[in-house]
Amino acid sequence: MKDSLLHIIDTIPEGYSTVLFENKKYGLTKTTFTNGKSYKIYAEELQGTDFISLNYYLTSASELLKPCEMPAEKVTQFLREMVI
């Protein structure tokens, strides 16, 4: 499904890139672990104080979104609305 979180995460380039979210530029780093079974994403607003931090895991039973010290809704909105 093209709007699934995993699909969105797969479209983000590995390493550092810049993205736009709510007309603000963010520096985003994506790191892939365990042969594509887990991801770490960290994005920081370049001219402000906002940030996004999450881990995403693929298990044999499910996919798990683990935001780091922020609501899942904030992370999901960022992933769905950012422009790469």
Side-chain angles (χ1 to χ4, degrees):
M1 178 178 266
K2 72 178 185 174
D3 61 346
S4 73
L5 291 182
L6 180 58
H7 175 78
I8 294 167
I9 290 169
D10 282 341
T11 64
I12 300 169
E14 186 75 12
Y16 182 84
S17 57
T18 57
V19 300
L20 289 176
F21 174 68
E22 296 182 343
N23 294 317
K24 299 173 187 166
K25 190 181 274 191
Y26 285 73
L28 183 148
T29 302
K30 172 186 164 186
T31 308
T32 304
F33 299 97
T34 57
N35 296 316
K37 299 294 181 188
S38 66
Y39 303 90
K40 168 77 178 158
I41 295 175
Y42 180 79
E44 188 171 300
E45 185 181 355
L46 294 179
Q47 293 185 333
T49 60
D50 192 32
F51 69 96
I52 302 293
S53 184
L54 68 105
N55 293 294
Y56 196 82
Y57 302 99
L58 300 172
T59 70
S60 59
S62 65
E63 298 176 15
L64 302 170
L65 172 65
K66 296 290 187 174
C68 301
E69 301 182 21
M70 63 188 56
E73 295 81 14
K74 179 178 180 175
V75 170
T76 302
Q77 179 186 9
F78 179 84
L79 289 173
R80 292 193 187 285
E81 296 178 9
M82 70 174 178
V83 178
I84 298 172

